[in-house]
Amino acid sequence: MTSVQAPANPLRDLLQKGRASIRAVHEGGAQGGQVSSALTDLYDRVISASFLAAVERLPGDERARALRELSLVAIGGYGRGDTAPFSDVDLLILTARRPSKAILDLVGGLVRDLWDLGLKLSQSVRTPADSVDFARRDLPHFTALAEARQIAGAPALFHELQRKLQRHYHGMALGRFIDAVLEERKKEHQDYFATTSLLEPNVKKSPGGLRDIHLLRWIAQPRYGTRDPELLRVSGVLTAEDARTVGEVGEFLSRIRHELHFKAGGASDVLTRDEQVRISKWLGFENQGALLGVERFMMRYHRHTTALHDLVSRFAHGARRRTGLTAVFNRVVRRRVGDHYLLDRDVIALDPAAPPEVLKRADVLLDLFDLARRNKVHVAHESLERARTAVPACEITPAAREKFLRIMAEPVGLGILVRELHRIGLLGRFIPAFEHARCLLQWNQYHKYTVDEHSIRALEAALFRYVDEGPVGQAYRETKRKDVLHLALLLHDIGKGYEEDHSEVGKRIAEELATLLGLGELERGQLVFLVHKHLAMAHVSQRRDLSDEATILQFVREVKTVEALRMMYVLTVADTEAVAPGSLTAWKESLLTELYSRSMEELTGTAPVADEAGKVEKIREALREKLAKDFEREWLRAQLAAMPATYLRTTAPADVAAHLLAIKGFDPKGVSVAARWLPDMELTEYVVVVRDDLTPGIFSKIAGALAAERLGIHGAQIVTRADGLVLDSFLAEDPDFKAEPPAGRRAEVGKTIEDVLLGRKSVEALFAARPVPPRPARENHPSTGGPPQAAIDNGTSDRCTIVEIFADDRQGLLYEITHALFEMGLSIASAKISTRLDQVVDAFYVTERATGGKVPDERVGAIVERLRAVITSA
C-alpha cells in the first residue's frame, strides 16, 4: 500500500527555514537585537501571507469587507520587536462592531492555520473600543497595547485603537499608573525573591531582567512622549551612562535568552546552573585565578542586572512628579534639618543650594541616609543622583568613620540604610573589601544569593531578631557592641573569590578594617574572631555529639567570653537563615540553641554542664504531659527515663511520639521498622528498633539495605540506650516516587531492612541482585565541595574518636563508609549524617570494638587511608 504524503506548505517551509537561518546567524555571533528583528520580520511575513491567503478563500463580496473590517496588530513583546525564538506571538485581531459570520469564520480559520504552521499564538479578538475598555481594567493588556504595531488589514481600525488609547493616556492619573505598574512588577518579583542576586535567575522576569526595560518603556511613553532610550537621552531624561546601560544590558540579556530558547527548542528563560556553565563557555569566559569561568560570567550577569534594576527604579521614582495639592502640602510642611537637608512629609533631600564642596564630605552623605532612617522617609531621587555622583571622590575622614560606626550600632532601619549605602557605592568606601563582593557568585547549590546580597540578608536576619522573644532575640538584645556584630555579619564571607581559604582571607580583611575604623583592642579581637571562626558553631552543632562534655569544653575554650558567644550564636543563626529560603530548619536552630545554652552555662557557672539532671528531667516531665494521652503512663515514664539526654533535648515531641510507637510494637527477639512520610522535608523517615546484641554492624547493614533499595540517605541518627535498645532513624529519598511513596513500597523497604538484620539476606547479595545505577555524569558542574576528605579527631571527645567525611554523594556511599569502619574493628556510638544536595558531611563517633576505647594514634593513619580510598572510588 502506497502512503500518501501530505502536500508541502510553503509558509511552514518559510517559517522552518527562516528559524534555522536565524539560528545560524545567532550562532555566528549576531547581536540579540538583530536576532529579535529578524524573527519579528519572519513572523510578520508569515502572518501577513496567512491573512491574505485566508481572505482569498472568501467569496468575492466578502473579501473587500474583510480588508475593511479586520486588522492584525502585534502587541506586547512581538509588537515592540522584542521577539525570542520560542516566545508567545502576541496578536490582537481588531474587528468592526458587528463582524459577519464569514469574517468570524475567517478569524477562527486563520488562528488554526497559524498554530498549525508552528507559531505559538497568544491571541485576542476585540473591537478597538472593547480593547481599550479592557485595558482600563487589565494592566497587562494596557501595557501590551502600548507596544502595538499593525501587521496587516484595515489601517483605519488600528488608527481608531491608537486614538482611543491616546485619549486614555491623557485622561489617566499618571502617578497612579506608575504605582500600578510598579506594584504589578513587585508581584512578579515575589516569585524570584525580590533580588537581582539569585543563583538561578529568570532573564526576563527576575529583578534587573528584560522586564525592567519594558517597565521603563511603559512609563516613558505617557510621561515623556517616547519610549526610545536614545531619544530620552537626547531630551535629557536619561544620562548618557544610563542610556548606554539600557542598551548594553538589553543586548546582553537578549543574546542569553535567545541561546536558552534555541538550546531548549522552546520557551526557556531561567538561567539554570547547567545553562550557566554551558553559556559561560559559549561566551568565552575562562577560569581566572580563584574564579571559575562560570563565576566570572555570573558576576558580569549580576552586575549588569543590578545596574539596570537600580537605573529603572530611579527612573520610575523620577517620573512620579508630585503635583497639585500634594506638592503644595509638601511645600507647606517642609522644614530644614541641620545645615544641608530639607524634610517634608515623606522625602528628605539635600538642599539644592548647598555648595558642591559639601558633597565631598562622606559624613554629609551618611547623615542624609541616617536622617531618612530616623524620620522614616525616602531620600529624594535628585539627592540620590547627586550622592551617587559624589561618592567616588568624597573624603572619608576619621570623624566620618566614627559616624559610620555609630550608625552601624543602631538596629532600627539599619537593613534598608545599608542597602542604600551599598546601592550608591558608599558602603564600599567605608568597607573597601565589600566592593569585591559586589555581585560575586557563590557557585554552589547551597547559597541562593551573591556574596554581597547574602551578607546583607544575614545582617537583616539578625536585625529581625530584635523583637524576637526566643533565645536568639535575647542574645541579640544583650549584645553590647552591636556595631561589631553587624560588621562581622557583613564581613563573614568577604574572603570568598580568592584562592586561599575564605576564613583566612576574611581574618586579614577584618584586621585591616578594625585598624581603619579605629576599633579598640577588645572590639578588634571580637570582630576578627567572629569573621575568622564564623563557621565554628555550625560545624560543632551539626557534626559533634553535644552530650559529650569534652565537646562543650573545647568549644568554650575557643569562644572564651560570654559576649563572643552571644555574637557568634546570632551570627551563625543569621548566616544560616540567609543562605536560602528555608535553610534554617528547626533542627539546625535547635542544635545551635543547644550548643549556645550549654556553652553559656559553662561560661557563667550558673548551671554547670555537669549539673544538668534537673534540666533534662524538666524535658521528660513536659514530654510525659504532652504524650500522656497516647501511651500508658508508667510505660511512657520508663521509656523516657531510658532515652539519652541529647536525644530528649534535640528531638521534637512529635518525633518522640513516632519513635515511641515504633518501640511499642517491638519484639525483643526481632526487628521493628516503622516508616512515615515527612511532607515538609519531602522525605521518608525509617525508624529501626533492635537490640544492640542482635548482630554486629547494625548501622552499616541498615545503610546497605536502604542503598540496595536505591534510596538516597539525607540524614541519620543513632540512639543507643543504656538498656541495650537501639533506635536508628534514617531520612531517605526514594527516586522512584516524586511524592509520598505508597505504603506497599515503604513496607517493602522495611522488610529488606528486617531480612538483612536477621541474617536472612546479605547486603552483598542484594547489591548483586539489584546493581546500583551508575553515578550521574558531573562534567557540567565544576566541583562545589572541594576534594573528598577523611579526617580523624582524637582530641575533642574523651570517650570516642571522631571520624569526619567530606565527599561528593553517590548511591551507597554511607554503607561503604560504615562497612569499612566495621571491617576495621570499629563500633559506631553515634553519628551526625548530613547530605546537602550533592555533598555529604558526616561525622562518626567510633570506638574500638575489642576494647571499647578510643582508636590508638598508631592506627589513625591506616584508617584515614582506607576511608580516603572508599570515598574517592567511583
Side-chain angles (χ1 to χ4, degrees), residues 438-561:
R438 187 183 289 274
C439 300
L440 177 63
L441 178 74
Q442 303 181 76
W443 208 85
N444 58 54
Q445 295 194 35
Y446 318 132
H447 285 83
K448 198 77 177 177
Y449 312 103
T450 57
V451 173
D452 55 338
E453 177 68 17
H454 164 70
S455 301
I456 294 175
R457 282 179 177 252
L459 171 64
E460 291 170 334
L463 296 171
F464 180 76
R465 300 285 180 160
Y466 188 64
V467 294
D468 181 18
E469 295 181 359
V472 185
Q474 182 180 351
Y476 177 72
R477 289 189 294 275
E478 291 177 354
T479 296
K480 296 180 178 63
R481 288 301 300 260
K482 292 184 176 62
D483 53 344
V484 174
L485 172 60
H486 297 156
L487 286 171
L489 284 157
L490 291 177
L491 291 182
H492 73 280
D493 271 354
I494 203 75
K496 291 189 172 179
Y498 299 95
E499 292 185 1
E500 193 179 349
D501 177 83
H502 82 279
S503 294
E504 296 297 328
V505 177
K507 177 185 177 183
R508 290 198 297 274
I509 291 173
E511 288 170 341
E512 293 165 3
L513 183 65
T515 300
L516 197 63
L517 295 177
L519 292 180
E521 282 305 308
L522 175 62
E523 292 74 24
R524 176 194 185 92
Q526 290 172 337
L527 179 63
V528 172
F529 169 75
L530 289 171
V531 175
H532 187 216
K533 300 294 183 181
H534 69 276
L535 296 173
M537 196 167 191
H539 286 178
V540 173
S541 66
Q542 294 176 39
R543 301 180 191 173
R544 292 292 182 265
D545 183 353
L546 300 184
S547 66
D548 189 335
E549 292 179 20
T551 294
I552 305 300
L553 291 172
Q554 182 166 315
F555 178 70
V556 165
R557 289 190 197 105
E558 187 170 35
V559 175
K560 293 185 178 64
T561 68

Side-chain angles (χ1 to χ4, degrees), residues 326-528:
T326 300
V328 171
F329 178 78
N330 283 331
R331 283 197 295 271
V332 170
V333 301
R334 182 173 298 155
R335 59 188 174 90
R336 180 172 292 277
V337 179
D339 296 331
H340 310 298
Y341 314 101
L342 301 174
L343 176 68
D344 64 26
R345 183 181 59 172
D346 55 6
V347 168
I348 190 166
L350 285 162
D351 186 349
E357 57 266 23
V358 167
L359 293 180
K360 294 180 180 179
R361 293 167 45 194
D363 60 315
V364 170
L365 301 181
L366 281 177
D367 279 339
L368 173 67
F369 292 98
D370 194 32
L371 286 167
R373 165 174 69 166
R374 294 181 184 281
N375 290 280
K376 299 180 180 178
V377 297
H378 300 293
V379 176
H381 171 69
E382 297 79 6
S383 297
L384 272 175
E385 291 301 290
R386 294 178 69 190
R388 180 195 309 280
T389 304
V391 160
C394 70
E395 184 182 6
I396 310 294
T397 63
R401 292 191 177 98
E402 287 182 18
K403 182 166 291 185
F404 176 70
L405 275 178
R406 288 197 299 273
I407 287 172
M408 290 298 296
E410 175 55 54
V412 178
L414 183 61
I416 294 175
L417 189 150
V418 166
R419 284 192 177 277
E420 291 292 283
L421 295 184
H422 185 46
R423 178 183 176 189
I424 67 168
L426 189 55
L427 184 64
R429 294 297 315 278
F430 285 96
I431 308 177
F434 206 76
E435 278 303 308
H436 163 79
R438 187 183 289 274
C439 300
L440 177 63
L441 178 74
Q442 303 181 76
W443 208 85
N444 58 54
Q445 295 194 35
Y446 318 132
H447 285 83
K448 198 77 177 177
Y449 312 103
T450 57
V451 173
D452 55 338
E453 177 68 17
H454 164 70
S455 301
I456 294 175
R457 282 179 177 252
L459 171 64
E460 291 170 334
L463 296 171
F464 180 76
R465 300 285 180 160
Y466 188 64
V467 294
D468 181 18
E469 295 181 359
V472 185
Q474 182 180 351
Y476 177 72
R477 289 189 294 275
E478 291 177 354
T479 296
K480 296 180 178 63
R481 288 301 300 260
K482 292 184 176 62
D483 53 344
V484 174
L485 172 60
H486 297 156
L487 286 171
L489 284 157
L490 291 177
L491 291 182
H492 73 280
D493 271 354
I494 203 75
K496 291 189 172 179
Y498 299 95
E499 292 185 1
E500 193 179 349
D501 177 83
H502 82 279
S503 294
E504 296 297 328
V505 177
K507 177 185 177 183
R508 290 198 297 274
I509 291 173
E511 288 170 341
E512 293 165 3
L513 183 65
T515 300
L516 197 63
L517 295 177
L519 292 180
E521 282 305 308
L522 175 62
E523 292 74 24
R524 176 194 185 92
Q526 290 172 337
L527 179 63
V528 172

Side-chain angles (χ1 to χ4, degrees), residues 121-137:
L121 287 187
S122 176
Q123 81 279 350
S124 56
V125 183
R126 292 187 174 92
T127 67
D130 289 342
S131 190
V132 174
D133 285 344
F134 182 61
R136 290 190 179 99
R137 305 188 304 274

